[in-house]
Every structure is written in C-alpha cells, then in structure tokens.
Amino acid sequence: MAALAWLLIPLVAAVGAGLWGSWAGRNRKTAGDGVELAGYTRFREAMERTEVRAEAKEKSHSDVH
C-alpha cells in the first residue's frame, strides 16, 4: 500500500502540471495591439513636443548671449 501511495504522488503532480499547462497556454481574448500602439503614439508625440520646446528655449537663450 505504501508503494501505491508513492506512485500516486508523481501521478497527481503530472495531472496538476498538465492542468496548469493547459490553463497557461489557453487563448486569451485580447483587445489587440491597437490600444498599446495608440498609447505609444501619444507618448511619442508628447516627447516630440517636449523636444521642440527645449530646442526653442535653447535658441532663445543663445540669441541673448
């Protein structure tokens, strides 16, 4: 009977691993990349505006000196 218990432990672990693997590999319903790409576009535009402002400040400071 003890040998049967020792055989059941890896069997239960294998079944658990199989269940977890099927759960982890499932197809998830995602919104797609559109939301992420739109966020990246907004970030890039904001950084470009900041860069333009910094260049304008540098030009105005260099004209004074």
Side-chain angles (χ1 to χ4, degrees):
M1 196 67 181
L4 184 59
W6 281 107
L7 290 174
L8 285 177
I9 292 171
L11 180 64
V12 170
V15 169
L19 289 172
W20 177 83
S22 64
W23 176 78
R26 72 190 187 282
N27 288 331
R28 296 184 176 136
K29 296 178 184 175
T30 59
D33 293 336
V35 175
E36 293 178 14
L37 290 174
Y40 176 70
T41 302
R42 287 194 310 270
F43 168 75
R44 197 175 68 224
E45 290 171 352
M47 293 305 289
E48 287 173 358
R49 284 193 302 262
T50 304
E51 190 174 289
V52 169
R53 289 180 192 157
E55 289 175 0
K57 278 186 177 181
E58 288 176 8
K59 286 182 181 179
S60 66
H61 287 298
S62 63
D63 293 342
V64 174
H65 294 285

